[in-house]
Amino acid sequence: MKLGVVGLPNVGKSTLFNALTHAGAQSANYPFCTIEPNIGVVAVPDHRLAKLAALYNSAKITPTTLEFLDIAGLVKGASKGEGLGNKFLSHIREVDAIVHVVRCFDDPNIIHVESTVDPKRDIEIINIELILSDLETIEKRLDKASNMIKTGEKKYQVEVELIKKVKAWLEQNKPIRTLELAEEEKELVDQMFLLTDKPVIYACNIAEKDIGKKNAYVEQVEKIALEENAETITLCARTEEELLSLNEEERAMFMEELGIKESGLNQLVEKGYKLLGLISYLTAGEKETRAWTIKKGTKAPQAAGKIHTDFEKGFIRAEVVDWQTLLECGNYTKAKEKGKVRSEGKDYVVQDGDVVLFRFNV
């Protein structure tokens, strides 16, 4: 899973990126301090791994990973090259979902590129730039499809009608993720790689003094997210960064003292998996306990292919047990003796938290 961290300049993007990835991206109180997108790969927190590793006395634990791209601040006119322009729109194109950091705090000492704090306006600025970029993409696609109609193939007529529908929606300043589409239409739109079709998590960046309190700015963002089929998280980027300097015990105490129930990374993982329809299955043994991320609805052979293509090609069956059941039984042998380990075939849909042993022919 690759998430692009975007927002207006000076909303806390790089501070949040630092907190999430420990990568130490430059953070400064002026626009465009991030010239190239900083990239950080982090382990996805998964409490199940340590428990399974202890059961198997595993030599190694390998969590699944999450990649963050810290993309420089967008401004009005970015789609026409203003600020650092189209270069950064192209970086957004590479990600699976967008983490849109929105400033939800007042601080006269931190410059706001638009002079005042207004989450609704800030969100609109970025959404409009992405919409304008999508309109440019759509215009090119429409010209090409219109020319192809001459071949007489019905699929091009269908494509032209769909593109016109998408164009009309964008011209109302509405992101494509809010447009209701039939399954076949959705498949075609996916091939257009539109920026406003990407799932969005709005990260409301609040002041430390507002942690655990009602915040009118956050309520604005939550309302917008509801209308857009997006998700929201609320955090204090600076506090998240401060937590990095503490050991695990100190961090837990500090979070409890401040009333922080869940870290920013945990919130993003949870919302990201939900938006993208992802789950994790597990493999465990003496050599390694590992998490594997797959799309919800993935069948056993394709899940096996995530480990190695040979597993999918030579798939025979999957021996499956729920991770909690396995822990309760004490070990794999006992779980099998109690009939808790199931033998599943090629049509089995792998579930979140399944511990799987794949049988295959080489």
Side-chain angles (χ1 to χ4, degrees), residues 299-361:
K299 292 185 177 179
Q302 289 69 49
K306 189 80 175 167
I307 300 174
H308 198 286
T309 52
D310 286 349
F311 283 32
E312 183 175 353
K313 289 174 187 172
F315 179 85
I316 300 171
R317 68 179 185 277
E319 294 179 10
V320 183
V321 57
D322 175 71
W323 74 278
Q324 282 180 309
T325 303
L326 179 56
L327 289 177
E328 287 163 8
C329 290
N331 60 47
Y332 187 81
T333 304
K334 289 177 182 176
K336 206 163 187 178
E337 287 170 357
K338 292 179 180 180
K340 300 296 183 182
V341 178
R342 309 183 311 278
S343 181
E344 302 285 1
K346 62 181 182 179
D347 291 327
Y348 176 69
V349 175
V350 177
Q351 303 297 307
D352 187 61
D354 277 351
V355 180
V356 189
L357 174 62
F358 293 107
R359 302 292 184 185
F360 64 100
N361 284 319

Side-chain angles (χ1 to χ4, degrees), residues 175-325:
I176 294 305
R177 62 181 172 273
T178 64
L179 175 59
E180 284 190 28
L181 296 167
E183 194 60 44
E184 313 80 58
E185 290 178 319
K186 180 67 180 158
E187 286 175 15
L188 268 174
V189 168
D190 285 346
Q191 294 167 25
M192 298 177 194
F193 303 105
L194 300 175
L195 301 178
T196 64
D197 192 32
K198 291 184 182 293
V200 170
I201 302 167
Y202 287 111
C204 303
N205 186 17
I206 61 172
E208 186 174 309
K209 65 181 177 60
D210 291 331
I211 293 173
K213 297 177 184 174
K214 279 274 187 184
N215 182 308
Y217 291 145
V218 172
E219 288 174 355
Q220 279 184 45
V221 179
E222 288 173 342
K223 186 182 176 186
I224 292 166
L226 199 61
E227 293 166 356
E228 287 188 7
N229 304 322
E231 293 284 346
T232 59
I233 65 169
T234 301
L235 46 74
C236 173
R238 193 162 296 285
T239 299
E240 293 281 334
E241 194 173 36
E242 287 170 2
L243 287 169
L244 295 180
S245 62
L246 307 175
N247 62 40
E248 199 171 327
E249 189 178 333
E250 289 171 333
R251 193 179 300 128
M253 286 173 62
F254 189 35
M255 285 175 70
E256 188 177 350
E257 187 181 315
L258 290 174
I260 301 172
K261 294 177 182 176
E262 207 172 8
S263 72
L265 179 57
N266 280 3
Q267 289 185 69
L268 280 172
V269 168
E270 182 187 330
K271 301 287 186 177
Y273 269 53
K274 181 182 173 184
L275 272 176
L276 295 170
L278 301 175
I279 62 167
S280 292
Y281 76 86
L282 313 160
T283 54
E286 285 185 17
K287 288 184 180 178
E288 181 184 46
T289 290
R290 183 165 182 165
W292 304 86
T293 298
I294 56 172
K295 279 273 189 186
K296 198 179 287 185
T298 300
K299 292 185 177 179
Q302 289 69 49
K306 189 80 175 167
I307 300 174
H308 198 286
T309 52
D310 286 349
F311 283 32
E312 183 175 353
K313 289 174 187 172
F315 179 85
I316 300 171
R317 68 179 185 277
E319 294 179 10
V320 183
V321 57
D322 175 71
W323 74 278
Q324 282 180 309
T325 303

Side-chain angles (χ1 to χ4, degrees), residues 90-122:
S90 69
H91 292 316
I92 297 170
R93 212 173 294 281
E94 298 169 12
V95 303
D96 299 311
I98 295 168
V99 179
H100 184 161
V101 183
V102 185
R103 181 166 162 177
C104 292
F105 65 90
D106 293 303
D107 187 337
N109 298 314
I110 299 178
I111 302 160
H112 192 292
V113 73
E114 293 293 323
S115 301
T116 58
V117 177
D118 183 342
K120 186 174 185 293
R121 177 208 58 211
D122 293 355

Side-chain angles (χ1 to χ4, degrees), residues 70-81:
D70 178 23
I71 299 168
L74 291 170
V75 293
K76 282 180 184 174
S79 60
K80 302 299 178 190

